[in-house]
Amino acid sequence: MKESVRWLSVAVLVLAPAGLRAQYAWQWDEEPVKTKLQPLHGLTYDVELQASGSKGKTPLWLNANKYGLSSLEKGNGYLRGQLYRSLDNDSTRRWGIGYGVDMAGAVHYQSKVILQQAYIEGRWLHGVLTIGAKEQPLQLKNDRLSSGSQTLGINARPFPEVRLALPKYWTIPALGRWFHIKGHISYGMYTDDNWEASFTNRQSKYTSDVLIHSKAGYLMIGKPEAFKPFSVELGLEMAAQFGGTSYRPNDKVPVVKGGHSLKDFWNVFLPGGSDATDGVYGNKEGNQLGSWVGRINWDAELWSAHLYYDHFFEDHSQMFFLDYDGYGSGDNYMTWEKLRYYLYKLKDNMIGFELNLHYSRWLRDIVIEHLYTKYQSGPYNHDHTRNIPDHMAGMDDYYNHANFTGWQHWGQVVGNPLYRSPIYNEDGTIHVDNNRFNAWHLGFDGQPSERLGYRVLVSYQDGLGTYGIPYDDIHHNVSFLVEANYLFPHGWQLTAGYGMDFGAILGHNAGLQMTIAKKGLLKL
């Protein structure tokens, strides 16, 4: 990422939001629990059988935001088994352990056998170290009803990683208990090398051995434990693809190798260095991206309301909204000659509103979101040249990158699925073909009875393609999902969903999805 200010990446580790009330039981004990740890206590199993049938591709909301465990094929399904122990079993202790394994045998998926999750984690006081692949929830948004975060979403398979986190808010006692922080830092790796080579048939850009780094920090200002209803949450989420080898069969430089040294790990932690293809312009190493996020909360006894914000960026132009624009021309095109700056417009944003009716049955939660991504720092002149001194840093091309296959994993975008995932492409390219769009999203759910629940998702989108490959005209799309679930005795649950897509972005699709699940505790 160009001209990033390094202290922001450090600050992200001391900020954090999303669940202050989820504290540990040991905090309220005067004396620590001295009972012996029981690593098999609380061991939970979860078995799922899912089948989907569609006319056309699997509709968007039957496919998206399922941590990549989904397929676009007309008929598909899986048998999934999970075995895990939550860290919450040790909430009365100052330290605890958790672990899990999650596998599926699938039909008409990218793999016949899928290792979805496999991890072990340990907690000491508030800090948690996780090693392995584990599904991580959204922050500041509703997992069931939101269209998803733009940077750290729930749409793609989890990465195997080493992750150090404050997963729940930690209150800073010295500041009157008004300030609370949480966050994480992680390093991991991509697992889709064979899929990329197969999907592209090695005829367009693909990669191997790519590494991933992410970090996030959040700050909450408020005192909800003292029954004060108003609070504010602010955060910064960042990620970077780096290392690995990029194969570009149609480019002048067909193979580009990234670094795997300690220096490269440092350059993505505090953005620095450069890629081998950068030349004189000196971009920061890797594919750097992120989001400024925030949320305003009002938590009353009968209801709560949340107004949230997610601003995505792929370089400094949308990260800071200010850029130096005083370069010379000719032989002096890299020289700073004038005291002149360019101020970017604050256009690309995701704005959402969530209302929770705590004791309502038929209508319990409502989410409304608006997502606009058409600006991308403007359509003009990404870098200044000898003949054009203007440095606008435009055409950001969200989720795509010159060397890497973009912000995707196994063909699904890692962030918000309203960006058209590469898995939809029929030309063998791993590329987000529609990243400039305007979208509205509505989600709501309810619990009419103790056993019966439902949710509805509806999205409207008009897209322009990308700056580099625009659509001939504006393309439109409507996607919806109607889903009901019924909880039977002894941990059995049946879920049925019907979804449809209309329009030129995803095509005309209709499908039904059925899931039978059984969950319970293993008494060992």
Side-chain angles (χ1 to χ4, degrees), residues 247-487:
Y247 301 93
R248 310 185 304 174
N250 302 317
D251 287 18
K252 294 181 179 179
V253 183
V255 178
V256 178
K257 290 186 175 295
H260 293 78
S261 68
L262 289 177
K263 182 179 180 181
D264 299 299
F265 279 71
W266 181 254
N267 282 340
V268 293
F269 174 63
L270 293 179
S274 62
D275 291 322
T277 56
D278 285 348
V280 297
Y281 294 108
N283 299 323
K284 300 306 180 185
E285 183 172 350
N287 179 24
Q288 302 265 0
L289 49 92
S291 289
W292 292 105
V293 295
R295 187 168 72 171
I296 300 173
N297 308 301
W298 185 273
D299 294 301
E301 181 181 353
L302 299 180
W303 57 274
S304 59
H306 315 274
L307 181 65
Y308 54 90
Y309 176 79
D310 184 334
H311 172 74
F312 184 73
F313 57 84
E314 287 235 16
D315 59 25
H316 69 292
S317 58
Q318 283 302 295
M319 186 176 186
F320 301 116
F321 308 107
L322 189 68
D323 201 359
Y324 180 76
D325 188 32
Y327 292 96
S329 59
D331 293 339
N332 296 326
Y333 80 106
M334 292 298 292
T335 304
W336 288 29
E337 291 189 347
K338 302 175 183 178
L339 186 61
R340 185 173 68 182
Y341 290 84
Y342 184 79
L343 182 64
Y344 296 93
K345 298 176 182 178
L346 180 57
K347 279 191 171 184
D348 290 349
N349 305 294
M350 177 182 183
I351 299 175
F353 174 77
E354 180 178 353
L355 176 65
N356 312 118
L357 306 174
H358 298 161
Y359 300 102
S360 176
R361 295 175 63 181
W362 284 93
L363 184 61
R364 180 159 293 183
D365 306 295
I366 306 169
V367 167
I368 301 174
E369 296 176 338
H370 178 240
L371 181 54
Y372 185 95
T373 68
K374 292 182 179 180
Y375 179 52
Q376 301 192 23
S377 303
Y380 173 65
N381 203 31
H382 187 63
D383 290 306
H384 57 282
T385 67
R386 289 180 176 273
N387 299 320
I388 304 176
D390 293 327
H391 184 87
M392 302 302 181
M395 301 181 290
D396 287 339
D397 203 10
Y398 294 164
Y399 285 22
N400 292 316
H401 192 267
N403 295 337
F404 299 96
T405 50
W407 194 225
Q408 65 82 39
H409 192 211
W410 287 87
Q412 296 277 17
V413 296
V414 180
N416 190 293
L418 293 178
Y419 292 82
R420 189 177 186 269
S421 288
I423 198 173
Y424 285 93
N425 297 346
E426 297 179 353
D427 60 357
T429 61
I430 303 177
H431 184 266
V432 177
D433 287 350
N434 183 52
N435 60 21
R436 297 185 60 232
F437 59 85
N438 179 58
W440 287 91
H441 175 78
L442 169 67
F444 59 92
D445 66 7
Q447 194 77 27
S449 71
E450 183 179 349
R451 295 188 179 277
L452 178 64
Y454 79 92
R455 67 169 175 159
V456 175
L457 305 178
V458 183
S459 303
Y460 169 80
Q461 181 180 21
D462 63 68
L464 301 178
T466 68
Y467 274 128
I469 310 175
Y471 293 149
D472 294 335
D473 54 15
I474 297 177
H475 286 188
H476 304 280
N477 189 82
V478 175
S479 297
F480 77 84
L481 166 70
V482 178
E483 182 182 86
N485 61 277
Y486 190 84
L487 182 62

Side-chain angles (χ1 to χ4, degrees), residues 106-370:
V107 178
H108 294 162
Y109 273 57
Q110 296 150 326
S111 304
K112 293 182 179 180
V113 178
I114 299 169
L115 181 59
Q116 181 72 2
Q117 301 181 84
Y119 62 91
I120 184 170
E121 54 189 351
R123 176 184 58 80
W124 169 250
L125 300 181
H126 294 271
V128 174
L129 175 65
T130 303
I131 301 175
K134 183 184 180 184
E135 297 174 350
Q136 301 291 344
L138 292 178
Q139 299 292 323
L140 306 186
K141 300 180 184 72
N142 187 312
D143 282 48
R144 278 173 47 83
L145 300 181
S146 172
S147 64
S149 292
Q150 294 191 86
T151 299
L152 303 178
I154 59 173
N155 191 54
R157 288 195 199 174
F159 299 98
E161 61 183 359
V162 177
R163 179 186 180 100
L164 184 62
L166 284 174
K168 299 179 182 181
Y169 275 123
W170 175 66
T171 301
I172 304 175
L175 299 177
R177 303 189 68 84
W178 279 91
F179 295 88
H180 324 272
I181 60 173
K182 76 172 182 178
H184 84 270
I185 176 174
S186 74
Y187 286 92
M189 60 184 293
Y190 271 70
T191 62
D192 63 353
D193 294 2
N194 292 335
W195 175 85
E196 288 195 19
S198 175
F199 187 80
T200 61
N201 200 27
R202 294 184 170 85
Q203 298 302 305
S204 61
K205 179 174 59 186
Y206 64 98
T207 61
S208 66
D209 303 320
V210 173
L211 303 177
I212 177 75
H213 164 64
S214 71
K215 51 184 173 281
Y218 310 89
L219 167 71
M220 173 186 273
I221 304 172
K223 213 169 184 179
E225 76 277 13
F227 304 104
K228 298 186 183 298
F230 181 75
S231 62
V232 177
E233 299 171 274
L234 304 170
L236 176 61
E237 301 174 348
M238 296 185 69
Q241 296 169 280
F242 70 107
T245 303
S246 174
Y247 301 93
R248 310 185 304 174
N250 302 317
D251 287 18
K252 294 181 179 179
V253 183
V255 178
V256 178
K257 290 186 175 295
H260 293 78
S261 68
L262 289 177
K263 182 179 180 181
D264 299 299
F265 279 71
W266 181 254
N267 282 340
V268 293
F269 174 63
L270 293 179
S274 62
D275 291 322
T277 56
D278 285 348
V280 297
Y281 294 108
N283 299 323
K284 300 306 180 185
E285 183 172 350
N287 179 24
Q288 302 265 0
L289 49 92
S291 289
W292 292 105
V293 295
R295 187 168 72 171
I296 300 173
N297 308 301
W298 185 273
D299 294 301
E301 181 181 353
L302 299 180
W303 57 274
S304 59
H306 315 274
L307 181 65
Y308 54 90
Y309 176 79
D310 184 334
H311 172 74
F312 184 73
F313 57 84
E314 287 235 16
D315 59 25
H316 69 292
S317 58
Q318 283 302 295
M319 186 176 186
F320 301 116
F321 308 107
L322 189 68
D323 201 359
Y324 180 76
D325 188 32
Y327 292 96
S329 59
D331 293 339
N332 296 326
Y333 80 106
M334 292 298 292
T335 304
W336 288 29
E337 291 189 347
K338 302 175 183 178
L339 186 61
R340 185 173 68 182
Y341 290 84
Y342 184 79
L343 182 64
Y344 296 93
K345 298 176 182 178
L346 180 57
K347 279 191 171 184
D348 290 349
N349 305 294
M350 177 182 183
I351 299 175
F353 174 77
E354 180 178 353
L355 176 65
N356 312 118
L357 306 174
H358 298 161
Y359 300 102
S360 176
R361 295 175 63 181
W362 284 93
L363 184 61
R364 180 159 293 183
D365 306 295
I366 306 169
V367 167
I368 301 174
E369 296 176 338
H370 178 240

